[in-house]
Structure formats: structure tokens, C-alpha cells
Amino acid sequence: GNSVTQMEGPVTLSEEAFLTINCTYTATGYPSLFWYVQYPGEGLQLLLKATKADDKGSNKGFEATYRKETTSFHLEKGSVQVSDSAVYFCALRSGGDKLIFGTGTRLQVFP
Amino acid sequence: DADVTQTPRNRITKTGKRIMLECSQTKGHDRMYWYRQDPGLGLQLIYYSFDVKDINKGEISDGYSVSRQAQAKFSLSLESAIPNQTALYFCATSEASGRALNEQFFGPGTRLTVL
């Protein structure tokens, strides 16, 4: 069945460091891929998305490229800020229009 | 005002009690979802509804029921709460398939504790 695997956290970084959060997926066909972010005490918000191979989603300095050959959708940011501290979820859109979420990766950024 | 609201935001109850969590949305979306979030497990889909007359079980529907009272309202019930239903519950909405890539919009969550 369809599934999403994320690197375990927490990821702890200093401000202005480079961020990578790995995400790989298993799916039939060509799923759409998403990154959601959950700030403390809030619900999830869509961060970025990609619908086909080699698409690059980007938002707020974050980027992720849909790599079909490696079934990956890694999240990157060149210079993180304290305000980026949150939990990040990778997800794919499966058959039936449901989202399958990864387990989430907590990012902690210190000044 | 928030587009997706959930009530209550926090609830503590005892084993065996019936609990209802409510979700309302002003986005005009047809599709609504209930998830639970547990540490280390991400989000798991409990039930979803693609319109008022369409209710579907998700991955973990046992012990839960839902009611879609109107396009804007989707309630989740625990008929007889048990401690392992202690979790954070999220409601979400989306447009119909083919539009906006099924982006889901989440409410702020309800933290439920079953003693």
C-alpha cells in the first residue's frame, strides 16, 4: 500500500544553518506530494506541494523536488530561523483523494 | 475568524463516557475529515465525508462514529471513551477532487484526555 517515511527527529540546528528533512514514499502511479507544517498549538498548514516528477515546490524559503527515480521529496531550506521551529509532515495524495502522512519531524532552531 | 473551527479545544473525560467533538467550516468545502495525532505516529484518518450523504471509514474507525449534519458541520463521537483514545484530534476540509490538488485545511485541534 501507499506509505510515507520521514527521518526521525528532533532535528536541532542553529539559526542560519542549512536544513534537510528526508522524505521517501511508496505509491502506485504518480501521487501528488506535500509538505505540511505544524506550529506549536496549531493545526497543520500546507507549506508546499508538487504534482509530477521533477516539479519543485517552494514557499517561505523552503523547497522540495519531486524525484520519481528515488521516490523522494526532501525538504530543504538554506538558512533556518528560530521561527521555523515546528513539526514538518510529508504527505502524499493516494487513490480516493485521501492524504497519507508521514510520522512528522520536529525541527528545533536555536539562536 | 478561523475558517475551520473545533469545539471543545480541550476535554478531560472518564472511561465509558460518551464524547462529541464538533467541527465547523466556513470555506464552503464539500469534503471533511477527522484525524487523530499521536506522538511518533503522525496523523491517522478516522473518518471522512465527501458530501453530506457520503460517509467513509478511515484507517482507525473502530470506537468512533461521525455525523455530517450539514455541508459545514462534521461531528466525531466516541460512544464509550477509553484511555487509548487520548490524543489530539484534528478536523480538516478540502475541495472536491480535481481542484486545488486536494489541499486540506486544518482546524486548531481538540486535545482529548480519557482517564
Side-chain angles (χ1 to χ4, degrees):
Chain A
N2 298 334
S3 65
V4 175
T5 302
Q6 287 182 238
M7 59 187 293
E8 290 191 16
V11 174
T12 303
L13 295 173
S14 298
E15 206 165 26
E16 299 183 4
F18 184 85
L19 168 71
T20 300
I21 299 178
N22 291 337
C23 171
T24 57
Y25 67 90
T26 301
T28 55
Y30 301 89
S32 297
L33 301 173
F34 305 83
W35 277 101
Y36 279 79
V37 58
Q38 183 182 27
Y39 297 105
E42 299 183 12
L44 280 70
Q45 305 172 24
L46 180 66
L47 180 61
L48 53 83
K49 59 191 177 189
T51 60
K52 60 184 186 297
D54 300 325
D55 264 4
K56 178 184 284 188
S58 61
N59 186 26
K60 299 181 180 179
F62 291 89
E63 292 182 340
T65 301
Y66 189 144
R67 301 287 188 199
K68 186 162 179 61
E69 64 276 13
T70 54
T71 61
S72 65
F73 192 54
H74 304 321
L75 182 68
E76 297 182 335
K77 187 174 185 182
S79 177
V80 294
Q81 305 300 311
V82 173
S83 58
D84 293 326
S85 298
V87 181
Y88 292 82
F89 292 91
C90 186
L92 66 83
R93 178 189 179 193
S94 70
D97 291 333
K98 298 189 297 292
L99 288 178
I100 305 295
F101 287 89
T103 54
T105 302
R106 181 176 299 278
L107 170 65
Q108 298 174 323
V109 181
F110 294 96
Chain B
D1 289 339
D3 295 320
V4 184
T5 57
Q6 293 183 234
T7 56
R9 294 294 311 278
N10 287 281
R11 182 71 183 268
I12 299 174
T13 191
K14 295 182 178 180
T15 297
K17 295 291 188 181
R18 184 178 187 274
I19 296 296
M20 178 179 286
L21 310 182
E22 298 188 353
C23 176
S24 295
Q25 53 115 346
T26 59
K27 300 188 76 64
H29 289 167
D30 289 323
R31 301 185 171 194
M32 299 186 74
Y33 311 79
W34 274 105
Y35 294 91
R36 63 176 281 173
Q37 183 181 24
D38 297 276
L41 292 178
L43 274 74
Q44 296 174 279
L45 184 63
I46 306 172
Y47 271 95
Y48 60 103
S49 169
F50 281 178
D51 65 42
V52 174
K53 298 181 180 179
D54 178 74
I55 303 290
N56 303 280
K57 293 182 177 181
E59 307 166 68
I60 55 164
S61 59
D62 288 349
Y64 301 94
S65 63
V66 291
S67 173
R68 185 80 184 268
Q69 300 96 323
Q71 186 202 38
K73 296 183 182 297
F74 192 36
S75 300
L76 176 72
S77 293
L78 288 67
E79 297 301 326
S80 180
I82 56 177
N84 75 1
Q85 291 177 311
T86 294
L88 190 55
Y89 290 84
F90 287 103
C91 174
T93 74
S94 70
E95 294 188 74
S97 179
R99 290 181 282 174
L101 292 175
N102 197 41
E103 175 183 349
Q104 293 188 12
F105 296 84
F106 285 78
T110 294
R111 184 168 297 281
L112 177 66
T113 302
V114 183
L115 301 176

